[in-house]
Amino acid sequence: MRSIAFADFLIGLGILFVLEGVLFAASPSWMRRAMKSAMSSPDHVLRIAGIGSAIAGLFLIWLVRR
């Protein structure tokens, strides 16, 4: 039997795939430019953006679970 946490993880992963797929389907040229921009960005900028995104995601999960 799967745990609730694992089911929540799979749901979150599914939502991530849906959102990413919608972005690529709706505007492939914009996504291509965004990826090129990310490739040319310095590591520290991407690291800060990643940490900020992770903190925002944890905060959102905390708000929903509260």
Short mmCIF file of all heavy atoms in Angstrom, two decimals:
data_model
loop_
_atom_site.label_atom_id
_atom_site.label_comp_id
_atom_site.label_asym_id
_atom_site.label_seq_id
_atom_site.Cartn_x
_atom_site.Cartn_y
_atom_site.Cartn_z
N MET A 1 0.84 -1.19 0.00
CA MET A 1 0.00 0.00 0.00
C MET A 1 0.88 1.25 0.00
O MET A 1 1.84 1.35 0.74
CB MET A 1 -0.88 -0.02 1.25
CG MET A 1 -1.90 1.07 1.25
SD MET A 1 -3.09 0.75 2.54
CE MET A 1 -3.14 2.32 3.29
N ARG A 2 0.55 2.19 -0.84
CA ARG A 2 1.32 3.43 -0.93
C ARG A 2 0.95 4.37 0.21
O ARG A 2 -0.20 4.43 0.63
CB ARG A 2 1.06 4.13 -2.25
CG ARG A 2 1.78 3.49 -3.39
CD ARG A 2 1.66 4.34 -4.60
NE ARG A 2 0.60 3.77 -5.41
CZ ARG A 2 0.09 4.31 -6.48
NH1 ARG A 2 0.53 5.46 -6.90
NH2 ARG A 2 -0.85 3.73 -7.16
N SER A 3 1.92 5.13 0.66
CA SER A 3 1.65 6.10 1.71
C SER A 3 1.03 7.36 1.10
O SER A 3 1.13 7.61 -0.10
CB SER A 3 2.94 6.46 2.44
OG SER A 3 3.78 7.21 1.60
N ILE A 4 0.41 8.14 1.95
CA ILE A 4 -0.20 9.39 1.51
C ILE A 4 0.88 10.33 0.99
O ILE A 4 0.70 11.02 -0.01
CB ILE A 4 -1.01 10.04 2.65
CG1 ILE A 4 -2.22 9.15 2.98
CG2 ILE A 4 -1.46 11.43 2.28
CD1 ILE A 4 -2.97 9.59 4.22
N ALA A 5 2.03 10.36 1.66
CA ALA A 5 3.12 11.24 1.24
C ALA A 5 3.59 10.89 -0.17
O ALA A 5 3.86 11.78 -0.98
CB ALA A 5 4.28 11.17 2.23
N PHE A 6 3.69 9.60 -0.47
CA PHE A 6 4.13 9.19 -1.80
C PHE A 6 3.08 9.56 -2.84
O PHE A 6 3.41 10.02 -3.94
CB PHE A 6 4.41 7.69 -1.83
CG PHE A 6 5.01 7.22 -3.12
CD1 PHE A 6 6.29 7.61 -3.49
CD2 PHE A 6 4.30 6.40 -3.98
CE1 PHE A 6 6.84 7.20 -4.69
CE2 PHE A 6 4.84 5.98 -5.18
CZ PHE A 6 6.12 6.38 -5.53
N ALA A 7 1.81 9.40 -2.51
CA ALA A 7 0.74 9.78 -3.44
C ALA A 7 0.77 11.29 -3.69
O ALA A 7 0.61 11.74 -4.83
CB ALA A 7 -0.62 9.36 -2.88
N ASP A 8 0.99 12.07 -2.63
CA ASP A 8 1.11 13.53 -2.79
C ASP A 8 2.29 13.88 -3.68
O ASP A 8 2.21 14.79 -4.51
CB ASP A 8 1.26 14.21 -1.44
CG ASP A 8 -0.03 14.25 -0.64
OD1 ASP A 8 -1.09 13.94 -1.21
OD2 ASP A 8 0.04 14.58 0.54
N PHE A 9 3.40 13.18 -3.50
CA PHE A 9 4.57 13.42 -4.33
C PHE A 9 4.26 13.15 -5.80
O PHE A 9 4.62 13.94 -6.67
CB PHE A 9 5.74 12.53 -3.86
CG PHE A 9 6.91 12.55 -4.79
CD1 PHE A 9 7.76 13.64 -4.84
CD2 PHE A 9 7.16 11.48 -5.64
CE1 PHE A 9 8.83 13.67 -5.71
CE2 PHE A 9 8.24 11.50 -6.51
CZ PHE A 9 9.07 12.60 -6.54
N LEU A 10 3.59 12.04 -6.08
CA LEU A 10 3.25 11.71 -7.47
C LEU A 10 2.27 12.72 -8.06
O LEU A 10 2.39 13.09 -9.24
CB LEU A 10 2.68 10.30 -7.56
CG LEU A 10 3.67 9.17 -7.29
CD1 LEU A 10 2.97 7.82 -7.37
CD2 LEU A 10 4.83 9.22 -8.27
N ILE A 11 1.34 13.21 -7.27
CA ILE A 11 0.41 14.23 -7.74
C ILE A 11 1.16 15.51 -8.07
O ILE A 11 0.94 16.14 -9.11
CB ILE A 11 -0.70 14.49 -6.71
CG1 ILE A 11 -1.64 13.28 -6.64
CG2 ILE A 11 -1.48 15.76 -7.02
CD1 ILE A 11 -2.61 13.30 -5.48
N GLY A 12 2.07 15.91 -7.20
CA GLY A 12 2.88 17.11 -7.44
C GLY A 12 3.73 16.97 -8.69
O GLY A 12 3.85 17.91 -9.49
N LEU A 13 4.32 15.80 -8.87
CA LEU A 13 5.13 15.55 -10.07
C LEU A 13 4.27 15.60 -11.33
O LEU A 13 4.67 16.18 -12.34
CB LEU A 13 5.81 14.18 -9.94
CG LEU A 13 6.92 13.85 -10.92
CD1 LEU A 13 8.06 14.86 -10.81
CD2 LEU A 13 7.43 12.44 -10.64
N GLY A 14 3.06 15.05 -11.24
CA GLY A 14 2.14 15.11 -12.38
C GLY A 14 1.76 16.54 -12.72
O GLY A 14 1.71 16.91 -13.90
N ILE A 15 1.49 17.35 -11.71
CA ILE A 15 1.15 18.75 -11.94
C ILE A 15 2.32 19.48 -12.58
O ILE A 15 2.14 20.30 -13.49
CB ILE A 15 0.71 19.43 -10.63
CG1 ILE A 15 -0.63 18.86 -10.18
CG2 ILE A 15 0.64 20.94 -10.78
CD1 ILE A 15 -1.05 19.27 -8.79
N LEU A 16 3.53 19.19 -12.13
CA LEU A 16 4.73 19.78 -12.73
C LEU A 16 4.81 19.45 -14.22
O LEU A 16 5.04 20.34 -15.04
CB LEU A 16 5.99 19.29 -12.02
CG LEU A 16 7.31 19.69 -12.64
CD1 LEU A 16 7.57 21.17 -12.41
CD2 LEU A 16 8.44 18.86 -12.05
N PHE A 17 4.59 18.19 -14.57
CA PHE A 17 4.64 17.78 -15.98
C PHE A 17 3.55 18.47 -16.80
O PHE A 17 3.78 18.88 -17.94
CB PHE A 17 4.52 16.27 -16.12
CG PHE A 17 5.74 15.51 -15.68
CD1 PHE A 17 5.61 14.22 -15.19
CD2 PHE A 17 7.00 16.05 -15.75
CE1 PHE A 17 6.72 13.50 -14.79
CE2 PHE A 17 8.12 15.35 -15.35
CZ PHE A 17 7.99 14.07 -14.87
N VAL A 18 2.36 18.60 -16.22
CA VAL A 18 1.26 19.27 -16.94
C VAL A 18 1.61 20.73 -17.20
O VAL A 18 1.47 21.22 -18.33
CB VAL A 18 -0.06 19.16 -16.14
CG1 VAL A 18 -1.12 20.09 -16.70
CG2 VAL A 18 -0.57 17.73 -16.14
N LEU A 19 2.08 21.43 -16.17
CA LEU A 19 2.41 22.85 -16.35
C LEU A 19 3.54 23.05 -17.35
O LEU A 19 3.48 23.94 -18.19
CB LEU A 19 2.76 23.48 -15.00
CG LEU A 19 1.61 23.60 -14.01
CD1 LEU A 19 2.12 24.12 -12.68
CD2 LEU A 19 0.52 24.49 -14.56
N GLU A 20 4.55 22.22 -17.25
CA GLU A 20 5.67 22.32 -18.19
C GLU A 20 5.20 22.02 -19.61
O GLU A 20 5.57 22.72 -20.56
CB GLU A 20 6.78 21.36 -17.79
CG GLU A 20 8.02 21.51 -18.61
CD GLU A 20 9.15 20.62 -18.12
OE1 GLU A 20 9.28 20.44 -16.90
OE2 GLU A 20 9.89 20.11 -18.98
N GLY A 21 4.38 21.01 -19.76
CA GLY A 21 3.86 20.66 -21.08
C GLY A 21 3.02 21.77 -21.68
O GLY A 21 3.12 22.07 -22.87
N VAL A 22 2.20 22.41 -20.85
CA VAL A 22 1.36 23.52 -21.33
C VAL A 22 2.24 24.68 -21.79
O VAL A 22 1.98 25.29 -22.83
CB VAL A 22 0.37 23.96 -20.23
CG1 VAL A 22 -0.27 25.29 -20.56
CG2 VAL A 22 -0.70 22.90 -20.03
N LEU A 23 3.30 24.99 -21.02
CA LEU A 23 4.19 26.08 -21.43
C LEU A 23 4.87 25.78 -22.76
O LEU A 23 4.95 26.66 -23.63
CB LEU A 23 5.25 26.32 -20.34
CG LEU A 23 4.75 27.00 -19.08
CD1 LEU A 23 5.86 27.03 -18.04
CD2 LEU A 23 4.28 28.41 -19.38
N PHE A 24 5.36 24.57 -22.93
CA PHE A 24 6.01 24.21 -24.19
C PHE A 24 5.01 24.20 -25.35
O PHE A 24 5.35 24.61 -26.46
CB PHE A 24 6.70 22.85 -24.09
CG PHE A 24 8.09 22.92 -23.53
CD1 PHE A 24 8.34 22.57 -22.22
CD2 PHE A 24 9.14 23.35 -24.31
CE1 PHE A 24 9.62 22.64 -21.69
CE2 PHE A 24 10.43 23.43 -23.81
CZ PHE A 24 10.66 23.07 -22.48
N ALA A 25 3.80 23.73 -25.10
CA ALA A 25 2.79 23.67 -26.17
C ALA A 25 2.27 25.07 -26.54
O ALA A 25 2.05 25.37 -27.71
CB ALA A 25 1.62 22.78 -25.74
N ALA A 26 2.11 25.93 -25.53
CA ALA A 26 1.54 27.25 -25.78
C ALA A 26 2.54 28.20 -26.45
O ALA A 26 2.16 29.01 -27.29
CB ALA A 26 1.04 27.86 -24.47
N SER A 27 3.80 28.11 -26.07
CA SER A 27 4.78 29.05 -26.60
C SER A 27 6.16 28.43 -26.67
O SER A 27 7.03 28.73 -25.86
CB SER A 27 4.81 30.30 -25.71
OG SER A 27 5.65 31.26 -26.28
N PRO A 28 6.37 27.57 -27.66
CA PRO A 28 7.68 26.92 -27.76
C PRO A 28 8.83 27.90 -28.01
O PRO A 28 9.93 27.70 -27.49
CB PRO A 28 7.53 25.95 -28.93
CG PRO A 28 6.27 26.30 -29.60
CD PRO A 28 5.45 27.12 -28.67
N SER A 29 8.58 28.97 -28.74
CA SER A 29 9.67 29.92 -29.00
C SER A 29 10.07 30.65 -27.72
O SER A 29 11.26 30.90 -27.48
CB SER A 29 9.27 30.92 -30.08
OG SER A 29 8.16 31.68 -29.67
N TRP A 30 9.11 30.99 -26.87
CA TRP A 30 9.42 31.64 -25.60
C TRP A 30 10.21 30.70 -24.69
O TRP A 30 11.18 31.12 -24.05
CB TRP A 30 8.15 32.10 -24.90
CG TRP A 30 8.43 32.82 -23.62
CD1 TRP A 30 8.75 34.13 -23.48
CD2 TRP A 30 8.47 32.26 -22.30
NE1 TRP A 30 8.97 34.43 -22.15
CE2 TRP A 30 8.79 33.30 -21.41
CE3 TRP A 30 8.24 30.99 -21.79
CZ2 TRP A 30 8.91 33.09 -20.04
CZ3 TRP A 30 8.36 30.79 -20.43
CH2 TRP A 30 8.70 31.83 -19.57
N MET A 31 9.82 29.43 -24.65
CA MET A 31 10.53 28.45 -23.83
C MET A 31 11.96 28.26 -24.34
O MET A 31 12.89 28.12 -23.56
CB MET A 31 9.79 27.12 -23.80
CG MET A 31 8.50 27.16 -23.01
SD MET A 31 8.76 27.55 -21.27
CE MET A 31 9.56 26.06 -20.71
N ARG A 32 12.14 28.27 -25.65
CA ARG A 32 13.48 28.13 -26.23
C ARG A 32 14.35 29.32 -25.82
O ARG A 32 15.51 29.15 -25.41
CB ARG A 32 13.37 28.03 -27.74
CG ARG A 32 14.65 27.63 -28.43
CD ARG A 32 14.48 27.41 -29.92
NE ARG A 32 13.68 26.20 -30.19
CZ ARG A 32 12.46 26.21 -30.74
NH1 ARG A 32 11.90 27.33 -31.12
NH2 ARG A 32 11.82 25.08 -30.94
N ARG A 33 13.78 30.53 -25.87
CA ARG A 33 14.53 31.72 -25.45
C ARG A 33 14.84 31.66 -23.96
O ARG A 33 15.93 32.04 -23.53
CB ARG A 33 13.74 32.99 -25.76
CG ARG A 33 13.77 33.39 -27.21
CD ARG A 33 13.27 34.80 -27.45
NE ARG A 33 12.02 35.12 -26.75
CZ ARG A 33 10.80 34.96 -27.27
NH1 ARG A 33 10.66 34.49 -28.49
NH2 ARG A 33 9.74 35.30 -26.58
N ALA A 34 13.90 31.19 -23.16
CA ALA A 34 14.12 31.08 -21.71
C ALA A 34 15.25 30.10 -21.41
O ALA A 34 16.08 30.35 -20.52
CB ALA A 34 12.83 30.65 -21.01
N MET A 35 15.29 28.98 -22.13
CA MET A 35 16.36 28.01 -21.91
C MET A 35 17.72 28.56 -22.34
O MET A 35 18.72 28.34 -21.67
CB MET A 35 16.04 26.70 -22.64
CG MET A 35 14.97 25.89 -21.93
SD MET A 35 14.77 24.26 -22.62
CE MET A 35 13.69 24.60 -23.97
N LYS A 36 17.74 29.30 -23.47
CA LYS A 36 18.99 29.92 -23.89
C LYS A 36 19.47 30.94 -22.87
O LYS A 36 20.66 31.04 -22.58
CB LYS A 36 18.82 30.59 -25.26
CG LYS A 36 18.78 29.63 -26.41
CD LYS A 36 18.61 30.37 -27.72
CE LYS A 36 18.47 29.39 -28.87
NZ LYS A 36 18.22 30.08 -30.14
N SER A 37 18.53 31.69 -22.30
CA SER A 37 18.87 32.67 -21.28
C SER A 37 19.43 31.97 -20.04
O SER A 37 20.41 32.44 -19.44
CB SER A 37 17.63 33.48 -20.91
OG SER A 37 17.90 34.34 -19.84
N ALA A 38 18.85 30.86 -19.66
CA ALA A 38 19.34 30.11 -18.50
C ALA A 38 20.74 29.56 -18.77
O ALA A 38 21.59 29.55 -17.88
CB ALA A 38 18.37 28.97 -18.15
N MET A 39 20.99 29.13 -20.00
CA MET A 39 22.31 28.59 -20.33
C MET A 39 23.39 29.66 -20.24
O MET A 39 24.54 29.37 -19.91
CB MET A 39 22.30 28.00 -21.75
CG MET A 39 21.49 26.73 -21.89
SD MET A 39 22.18 25.37 -20.96
CE MET A 39 23.68 25.09 -21.86
N SER A 40 23.03 30.91 -20.51
CA SER A 40 24.03 31.97 -20.48
C SER A 40 24.12 32.67 -19.12
O SER A 40 24.96 33.54 -18.94
CB SER A 40 23.74 33.00 -21.58
OG SER A 40 22.52 33.64 -21.34
N SER A 41 23.24 32.30 -18.19
CA SER A 41 23.27 32.92 -16.86
C SER A 41 24.38 32.31 -16.00
O SER A 41 24.65 31.11 -16.10
CB SER A 41 21.93 32.71 -16.15
OG SER A 41 20.90 33.37 -16.83
N PRO A 42 24.99 33.11 -15.15
CA PRO A 42 26.02 32.57 -14.26
C PRO A 42 25.42 31.58 -13.25
O PRO A 42 24.23 31.66 -12.91
CB PRO A 42 26.56 33.81 -13.53
CG PRO A 42 25.95 34.99 -14.16
CD PRO A 42 24.82 34.55 -15.02
N ASP A 43 26.26 30.67 -12.78
CA ASP A 43 25.81 29.65 -11.84
C ASP A 43 25.18 30.24 -10.58
O ASP A 43 24.16 29.73 -10.10
CB ASP A 43 26.96 28.73 -11.45
CG ASP A 43 27.35 27.77 -12.55
OD1 ASP A 43 26.60 27.66 -13.54
OD2 ASP A 43 28.41 27.13 -12.42
N HIS A 44 25.77 31.30 -10.05
CA HIS A 44 25.24 31.83 -8.79
C HIS A 44 23.83 32.40 -8.95
O HIS A 44 23.03 32.31 -8.03
CB HIS A 44 26.21 32.86 -8.18
CG HIS A 44 26.26 34.16 -8.91
ND1 HIS A 44 27.03 34.34 -10.04
CD2 HIS A 44 25.64 35.34 -8.67
CE1 HIS A 44 26.88 35.59 -10.46
NE2 HIS A 44 26.04 36.20 -9.65
N VAL A 45 23.52 32.94 -10.11
CA VAL A 45 22.17 33.47 -10.35
C VAL A 45 21.17 32.31 -10.42
O VAL A 45 20.08 32.38 -9.82
CB VAL A 45 22.13 34.30 -11.65
CG1 VAL A 45 20.71 34.67 -12.03
CG2 VAL A 45 22.99 35.54 -11.51
N LEU A 46 21.52 31.26 -11.13
CA LEU A 46 20.64 30.09 -11.21
C LEU A 46 20.48 29.43 -9.84
O LEU A 46 19.39 28.98 -9.48
CB LEU A 46 21.18 29.08 -12.22
CG LEU A 46 21.20 29.54 -13.67
CD1 LEU A 46 21.86 28.50 -14.55
CD2 LEU A 46 19.80 29.85 -14.15
N ARG A 47 21.57 29.39 -9.06
CA ARG A 47 21.51 28.79 -7.73
C ARG A 47 20.56 29.60 -6.83
O ARG A 47 19.73 29.03 -6.12
CB ARG A 47 22.90 28.72 -7.13
CG ARG A 47 22.98 27.92 -5.86
CD ARG A 47 24.40 27.65 -5.44
NE ARG A 47 25.02 26.69 -6.37
CZ ARG A 47 26.10 26.91 -7.10
NH1 ARG A 47 26.70 28.07 -7.04
NH2 ARG A 47 26.58 25.99 -7.89
N ILE A 48 20.67 30.91 -6.87
CA ILE A 48 19.79 31.77 -6.06
C ILE A 48 18.33 31.59 -6.49
O ILE A 48 17.43 31.49 -5.66
CB ILE A 48 20.23 33.24 -6.14
CG1 ILE A 48 21.56 33.42 -5.41
CG2 ILE A 48 19.17 34.17 -5.57
CD1 ILE A 48 22.21 34.77 -5.63
N ALA A 49 18.08 31.54 -7.79
CA ALA A 49 16.72 31.34 -8.30
C ALA A 49 16.19 29.98 -7.86
O ALA A 49 15.01 29.86 -7.48
CB ALA A 49 16.70 31.46 -9.81
N GLY A 50 17.02 28.95 -7.90
CA GLY A 50 16.60 27.62 -7.47
C GLY A 50 16.28 27.56 -6.00
O GLY A 50 15.27 26.96 -5.59
N ILE A 51 17.13 28.16 -5.18
CA ILE A 51 16.88 28.19 -3.73
C ILE A 51 15.60 28.97 -3.43
O ILE A 51 14.78 28.54 -2.62
CB ILE A 51 18.10 28.77 -2.98
CG1 ILE A 51 19.27 27.79 -3.07
CG2 ILE A 51 17.75 29.07 -1.53
CD1 ILE A 51 20.59 28.36 -2.59
N GLY A 52 15.43 30.10 -4.10
CA GLY A 52 14.20 30.89 -3.90
C GLY A 52 12.96 30.13 -4.29
O GLY A 52 11.93 30.17 -3.59
N SER A 53 13.04 29.41 -5.39
CA SER A 53 11.90 28.61 -5.85
C SER A 53 11.60 27.49 -4.86
O SER A 53 10.43 27.21 -4.55
CB SER A 53 12.21 28.04 -7.23
OG SER A 53 11.17 27.23 -7.67
N ALA A 54 12.64 26.84 -4.36
CA ALA A 54 12.44 25.75 -3.39
C ALA A 54 11.81 26.28 -2.11
O ALA A 54 10.89 25.65 -1.56
CB ALA A 54 13.77 25.06 -3.10
N ILE A 55 12.27 27.42 -1.64
CA ILE A 55 11.70 28.01 -0.42
C ILE A 55 10.25 28.40 -0.64
O ILE A 55 9.39 28.16 0.22
CB ILE A 55 12.56 29.21 0.04
CG1 ILE A 55 13.90 28.71 0.57
CG2 ILE A 55 11.83 30.03 1.10
CD1 ILE A 55 14.91 29.80 0.84
N ALA A 56 9.96 29.00 -1.79
CA ALA A 56 8.57 29.37 -2.10
C ALA A 56 7.68 28.13 -2.16
O ALA A 56 6.55 28.14 -1.66
CB ALA A 56 8.51 30.13 -3.42
N GLY A 57 8.18 27.05 -2.76
CA GLY A 57 7.41 25.81 -2.82
C GLY A 57 7.17 25.22 -1.45
O GLY A 57 6.05 24.77 -1.14
N LEU A 58 8.19 25.20 -0.59
CA LEU A 58 8.01 24.70 0.77
C LEU A 58 7.02 25.55 1.55
O LEU A 58 6.20 25.02 2.31
CB LEU A 58 9.36 24.65 1.49
CG LEU A 58 10.30 23.54 1.06
CD1 LEU A 58 11.65 23.73 1.73
CD2 LEU A 58 9.72 22.18 1.40
N PHE A 59 7.10 26.87 1.37
CA PHE A 59 6.16 27.75 2.05
C PHE A 59 4.73 27.49 1.59
O PHE A 59 3.80 27.45 2.40
CB PHE A 59 6.55 29.22 1.80
CG PHE A 59 5.67 30.21 2.48
CD1 PHE A 59 5.69 30.34 3.86
CD2 PHE A 59 4.80 31.00 1.75
CE1 PHE A 59 4.87 31.25 4.50
CE2 PHE A 59 3.97 31.91 2.38
CZ PHE A 59 4.00 32.04 3.76
N LEU A 60 4.55 27.29 0.29
CA LEU A 60 3.22 26.99 -0.23
C LEU A 60 2.68 25.67 0.33
O LEU A 60 1.52 25.58 0.73
CB LEU A 60 3.26 26.95 -1.76
CG LEU A 60 1.95 26.70 -2.49
CD1 LEU A 60 0.94 27.80 -2.17
CD2 LEU A 60 2.18 26.62 -3.98
N ILE A 61 3.52 24.66 0.37
CA ILE A 61 3.11 23.37 0.95
C ILE A 61 2.75 23.55 2.42
O ILE A 61 1.75 23.02 2.90
CB ILE A 61 4.23 22.33 0.77
CG1 ILE A 61 4.38 21.97 -0.71
CG2 ILE A 61 3.95 21.07 1.60
CD1 ILE A 61 5.62 21.17 -1.02
N TRP A 62 3.57 24.32 3.14
CA TRP A 62 3.28 24.56 4.55
C TRP A 62 1.94 25.25 4.73
O TRP A 62 1.16 24.90 5.63
CB TRP A 62 4.41 25.40 5.16
CG TRP A 62 4.18 25.77 6.58
CD1 TRP A 62 4.34 24.99 7.68
CD2 TRP A 62 3.70 27.04 7.07
NE1 TRP A 62 4.02 25.68 8.81
CE2 TRP A 62 3.62 26.94 8.47
CE3 TRP A 62 3.36 28.23 6.43
CZ2 TRP A 62 3.19 28.01 9.25
CZ3 TRP A 62 2.94 29.28 7.22
CH2 TRP A 62 2.86 29.17 8.62
N LEU A 63 1.64 26.24 3.88
CA LEU A 63 0.36 26.95 3.96
C LEU A 63 -0.82 26.01 3.72
O LEU A 63 -1.84 26.06 4.42
CB LEU A 63 0.30 28.08 2.95
CG LEU A 63 0.99 29.39 3.32
CD1 LEU A 63 0.88 30.36 2.15
CD2 LEU A 63 0.40 29.98 4.56
N VAL A 64 -0.68 25.14 2.73
CA VAL A 64 -1.78 24.23 2.39
C VAL A 64 -1.98 23.19 3.48
O VAL A 64 -3.11 22.85 3.83
CB VAL A 64 -1.50 23.56 1.02
CG1 VAL A 64 -2.47 22.44 0.76
CG2 VAL A 64 -1.55 24.60 -0.09
N ARG A 65 -0.90 22.67 4.03
CA ARG A 65 -0.97 21.61 5.04
C ARG A 65 -1.33 22.12 6.42
O ARG A 65 -1.66 21.34 7.29
CB ARG A 65 0.37 20.86 5.12
CG ARG A 65 0.69 20.09 3.89
CD ARG A 65 -0.24 18.95 3.81
NE ARG A 65 0.06 18.13 2.67
CZ ARG A 65 -0.57 17.01 2.44
NH1 ARG A 65 -1.48 16.56 3.24
NH2 ARG A 65 -0.27 16.32 1.37
N ARG A 66 -1.24 23.41 6.65
CA ARG A 66 -1.47 23.99 7.96
C ARG A 66 -2.87 23.88 8.42
O ARG A 66 -3.86 23.81 7.93
CB ARG A 66 -1.05 25.46 7.90
CG ARG A 66 -0.74 26.06 9.21
CD ARG A 66 -0.32 27.44 9.01
NE ARG A 66 -1.53 28.23 9.25
CZ ARG A 66 -1.57 29.52 9.33
NH1 ARG A 66 -0.51 30.20 9.09
NH2 ARG A 66 -2.66 30.16 9.59
#
